[in-house]
Amino acid sequence: MPPVISIQNATKRFGTKTLLNSASASITDDHKVGLVGRNGAGKSTLCRAILGDEELEKGEIVLHPKVRLGYLRQHDPFIPGETVVEFLMRDSEQPDWRCGEVAARFEIKGAMLDAPVHNLSGGWQTRVKLTALLLHDPTFLILDEPTNFLDIRTQMLLERFLKSYKGGYLVVSHDRGFLKQTCNQTLELARGKLTLYPGTVEDYIEYREERKLHDQRVNDATKAKQKQLQRFIDKNRAGANTAAQAKNKQKQLDRLELIEIEEEETTAYIRVPQVDAKKGTAVRCEDLSIGYPYRMVADGITLDIEHGARTAVVGDNGQGKTTFLRTIVGSLDPKAGEVKWGHNTEVGVYAQHVYSSLPANDTVEDYLLSVRDPSVNHQQLLNVAGSFLFRGEDVHKKVKVLSGGERARLCLAGLLLGKYNILILDEPGNHLDVETVDSLCEALDSYNGTVIFTSHDRYFVRRIATQIIEVSAGKVTHIPSDYEHYLYRLSQEIDEEDGNQVATEAAGENRDAMMAKEERKQRNKEARAARKEVQKLESKIAKLDDERKELNAKLMSITDPGEAQKVHAKFTAVADEIAELEGKWLEFQEQLEDFDD
């Protein structure tokens, strides 16, 4: 079977870092490939190179002439005010009925088709982008971190879609559970080289370790044989009767070669706070209500979490998991009831509202020094920083220049350098590669304190959780069953949803959702026309505005009165034209606002 993607001796560098070093691999149209590698290894760069958006320094990527690549975009492709069906029709140039048909595969139905895209959660927006991808009828998919922002239910829906997809795909993900469910091949990018393995990521990791052990055993045997031969040669090379034998043994020795074993990439060293084990109740919620001044999220919450527990807080996106965590740590006031922490509890929090407010002018090293426990020495601090990818000169970077992912890693590193006996972790696996998540799991296994966390990474939850709390339908409750039973229940719910027929839209629902098909088609056509006019006007206004600025600058430097009068007249004419175009722009904007009502 000919390859649909052939990567041939690809080389790519960024500064002094080599991402691809004569890397080669071939992918056929039936391959379901999981692309794995350390953070910063170059996985996204490789995807962009396959798509033609990134140039290689050497080598080439050859696509089969009949392949049609589909790419799940990470950026936001939506226009403000645009509804789901309007975006899908604009992006795919397909009729509304076809857009609705494909959208239904991701549970986007009824009134949701006519909802503004920007009003949807990140997970639902990902569903919309997946729909748009399929409407282009690709033969091979490239999905870069598709599970970002997706709750477990939506991940399961995506898994089912990928399993039923007839073409091939390449998935970049750190979520080992998702890769295991969806991919039958593993492509690793490490030290600039590509290795394609015909099996799941877990099988590949096991194979890689077994191969390394095998090679080490072979090398040990080879070294022993080399020593044996060398002793014989040294003892017999000078003897008249044995010199010929020694010469023959030398030839044998020269033929022996050691297998080259690559050194392990730097393994994450994650230190957890060294605390004494405690017994009793860590935190108690009594008739607690959580939410915001304008909205109740959940009420009637009464539960205890014991010291030493590893409590996973689960539930669909938007149900209130983060609201619950923020309330129990005190960053959000309860609407009713109270939260009681046990005696001598020291609570450390890792969450977005924390790492988004780190001191901007501190360096990485400054921040870690300020939050570490006094028992942590400087070298231990640097080791932990390095495990979260702050190595060498990176420790001198200021917080204000760090990306969101880097700030998240810095906050988690600082938390683990403290002396907290309770850790509150909101999606701790985000921004961490497979190896670092493994190291975090091992570290938490040895932790004597209490862990309360949220995560959409099923591998991480399976490794860590000893009990489950579910946030759903306005309630927060302990689940008596284990995590596997919770996942099974979600799967059953999805089966039931798939089996149900789409209900008739209820009376009084969104007016646009109740429009007749032809009327909505006409409305969408008018909206697209208005939007095109707005774009044309914005382009003209921008060009004229640049011209006005040039004329104004020229006017300020002219000394000749006659020339100044001519430039001023032209400046006035341009300004008048801009005003006229802006008036038209406002008219079309008002039309678009009518369409969005």
Side-chain angles (χ1 to χ4, degrees):
M1 185 176 293
V4 292
I5 300 173
S6 180
I7 304 164
Q8 302 172 0
N9 299 312
T11 298
K12 180 69 176 180
R13 288 186 295 264
F14 276 118
T16 58
K17 185 171 184 179
T18 300
L19 299 180
L20 300 169
N21 184 12
S22 298
S24 297
S26 292
I27 302 171
T28 61
D29 62 1
D30 63 339
H31 279 177
K32 320 287 189 181
V33 184
L35 176 56
V36 298
R38 294 292 181 89
N39 280 335
K43 301 184 295 296
S44 293
T45 299
L46 177 61
C47 289
R48 290 195 297 272
I50 292 172
L51 292 162
D53 297 333
E54 191 83 49
E55 290 187 6
L56 298 174
E57 294 173 25
K58 294 180 182 177
E60 61 178 343
I61 296 178
V62 180
L63 302 180
H64 191 280
K66 293 185 178 180
V67 70
R68 295 187 302 278
L69 296 179
Y71 178 56
L72 179 63
R73 291 163 285 192
Q74 295 300 306
H75 69 279
D76 185 344
F78 312 119
I79 294 174
E82 190 172 38
T83 67
V84 171
V85 73
E86 286 170 352
F87 162 70
L88 294 175
M89 292 173 66
R90 173 178 64 81
D91 186 79
S92 67
E93 297 183 349
Q94 296 279 348
D96 61 348
W97 65 267
R98 174 60 179 158
C99 294
E101 183 179 69
V102 177
R105 298 178 66 176
F106 296 101
E107 301 298 322
I108 304 171
K109 304 172 183 176
M112 185 170 285
L113 285 167
D114 294 283
V117 189
H118 280 293
N119 289 355
L120 304 181
S121 67
W124 281 102
Q125 287 187 9
T126 298
R127 294 191 191 195
V128 172
K129 287 190 281 188
L130 282 165
T131 302
L133 183 155
L134 287 188
L135 283 165
H136 287 279
D137 193 25
T139 59
F140 193 93
L141 307 179
I142 296 180
L143 311 178
D144 192 356
E145 296 292 353
T147 58
N148 279 357
F149 309 112
L150 298 188
D151 55 33
I152 300 297
R153 186 188 301 271
T154 309
Q155 285 185 34
M156 287 180 169
L157 199 65
L158 178 57
E159 283 174 7
R160 291 182 179 213
F161 158 70
L162 289 176
K163 286 177 180 178
S164 66
Y165 184 67
K166 294 180 180 179
Y169 49 78
L170 179 70
V171 178
V172 181
S173 180
H174 294 313
D175 188 330
R176 188 179 298 184
F178 182 79
L179 291 175
K180 182 180 179 181
Q181 289 293 322
T182 57
C183 298
N184 57 21
Q185 307 261 334
T186 301
L187 181 64
E188 183 184 42
L189 176 55
R191 294 187 178 87
K193 299 294 186 181
L194 289 168
T195 303
L196 185 62
Y197 175 79
T200 67
V201 62
E202 290 189 350
D203 290 339
Y204 174 68
I205 290 172
E206 184 178 346
Y207 159 77
R208 188 177 62 186
E209 292 304 312
E210 289 176 353
R211 185 184 62 184
K212 181 183 175 184
L213 291 173
H214 172 268
D215 290 347
Q216 287 173 339
R217 286 194 295 267
V218 170
N219 279 351
D220 290 342
T222 302
K223 289 175 183 177
K225 183 67 174 177
Q226 287 173 329
K227 288 181 180 179
Q228 182 185 10
L229 290 171
Q230 190 63 55
R231 282 197 300 269
F232 183 91
I233 293 166
D234 293 342
K235 183 178 179 180
N236 295 286
R237 66 166 46 134
N241 297 326
T242 57
Q245 288 180 299
K247 188 174 182 180
N248 186 48
K249 296 294 185 185
Q250 183 64 56
K251 290 179 180 178
Q252 291 181 38
L253 179 61
D254 292 341
R255 286 196 296 268
L256 291 178
E257 292 183 357
L258 295 176
I259 300 171
E260 184 179 352
I261 301 176
E262 290 185 343
E263 292 183 10
E264 287 283 351
E265 292 188 83
T266 305
T267 302
Y269 165 77
I270 297 183
R271 172 198 180 277
V272 288
Q274 304 302 302
V275 298
D276 295 328
K278 293 172 67 70
K279 293 184 178 180
T281 301
V283 62
R284 172 171 294 161
C285 300
E286 295 183 349
D287 201 21
L288 183 68
S289 296
I290 63 175
Y292 304 89
Y294 53 87
R295 181 167 66 94
M296 177 74 76
V297 172
D299 60 8
I301 305 166
T302 298
L303 54 82
D304 290 354
I305 296 175
E306 299 297 309
H307 281 296
R310 307 288 192 268
T311 304
V313 181
V314 302
D316 292 350
N317 283 345
Q319 292 296 306
K321 299 186 298 294
T322 298
T323 303
F324 173 66
L325 292 186
R326 290 189 63 189
T327 303
I328 66 173
V329 301
S331 68
L332 189 64
D333 292 332
K335 293 178 75 68
E338 59 181 331
V339 177
K340 295 179 179 179
W341 287 96
H343 185 59
N344 288 334
T345 54
E346 294 290 336
V347 182
V349 180
Y350 170 80
Q352 185 171 345
H353 70 279
V354 175
Y355 63 71
S356 61
S357 58
L358 296 175
N361 289 315
D362 275 9
T363 64
V364 168
E365 188 174 20
D366 291 338
Y367 174 73
L368 294 178
L369 284 169
S370 70
V371 298
R372 68 169 174 170
D373 182 74
S375 65
V376 178
N377 64 41
H378 194 256
Q379 187 55 51
Q380 288 175 317
L381 181 148
L382 292 178
N383 289 343
V384 172
S387 72
F388 287 97
L389 303 182
F390 298 108
R391 304 181 182 118
E393 290 302 310
D394 288 342
V395 298
H396 302 304
K397 284 183 177 179
K398 290 198 171 186
V399 169
K400 63 185 177 184
V401 304
L402 300 180
S403 67
E406 288 172 325
R407 292 187 189 206
R409 294 200 304 270
L410 177 59
C411 184
L412 185 54
L415 184 71
L416 298 178
L417 286 169
K419 196 72 173 178
Y420 306 107
N421 54 23
I422 295 178
L423 298 177
I424 308 292
L425 309 176
D426 193 0
E427 292 291 346
N430 283 0
H431 316 294
L432 302 182
D433 55 35
V434 168
E435 290 78 10
T436 307
V437 168
D438 262 342
S439 295
L440 179 59
C441 288
E442 290 170 9
L444 291 175
D445 282 342
S446 65
Y447 178 54
N448 286 328
T450 305
V451 184
I452 305 171
F453 69 98
T454 67
S455 178
H456 293 148
D457 186 330
R458 281 164 284 177
Y459 172 82
F460 183 80
V461 179
R462 286 187 177 106
R463 278 285 306 267
I464 300 302
T466 60
Q467 65 180 25
I468 306 295
I469 287 177
E470 183 179 29
V471 183
S472 177
K475 300 296 178 185
V476 179
T477 53
H478 271 295
I479 296 180
S481 56
D482 60 17
Y483 185 59
E484 293 301 326
H485 188 271
Y486 170 73
L487 294 179
Y488 175 76
R489 195 189 78 199
L490 283 186
S491 180
Q492 292 295 102
E493 289 176 6
I494 294 172
D495 285 340
E496 290 175 10
E497 290 170 3
D498 287 345
N500 291 336
Q501 296 295 322
V502 179
T504 304
E505 296 288 343
E509 213 172 9
N510 182 284
R511 186 191 70 209
D512 289 347
M514 298 298 292
M515 284 183 176
K517 180 178 175 180
E518 290 303 319
E519 184 180 348
R520 187 171 70 181
K521 187 184 294 185
Q522 180 61 29
R523 185 180 178 84
N524 289 334
K525 183 178 179 181
E526 293 173 2
R528 289 198 304 274
R531 200 166 280 118
K532 285 181 181 178
E533 288 300 322
V534 166
Q535 292 172 348
K536 288 179 183 178
L537 288 168
E538 287 175 345
S539 178
K540 288 180 181 179
I541 290 170
K543 288 179 181 178
L544 287 170
D545 194 49
D546 289 340
E547 185 179 355
R548 180 172 61 178
K549 289 175 182 176
E550 290 176 5
L551 289 169
N552 186 55
K554 188 175 182 181
L555 193 62
M556 299 297 291
S557 62
I558 293 175
T559 55
D560 178 60
E563 181 66 18
Q565 190 172 3
K566 291 179 183 178
V567 173
H568 184 268
K570 193 170 183 180
F571 176 87
T572 303
V574 170
D576 290 344
E577 188 175 356
I578 289 174
E580 182 181 352
L581 292 175
E582 285 178 340
K584 292 180 179 179
W585 181 87
L586 284 171
E587 290 177 9
F588 281 110
Q589 281 296 113
E590 288 174 359
Q591 288 183 37
L592 289 176
E593 287 174 7
D594 288 340
F595 287 124
D596 291 336
D597 285 343

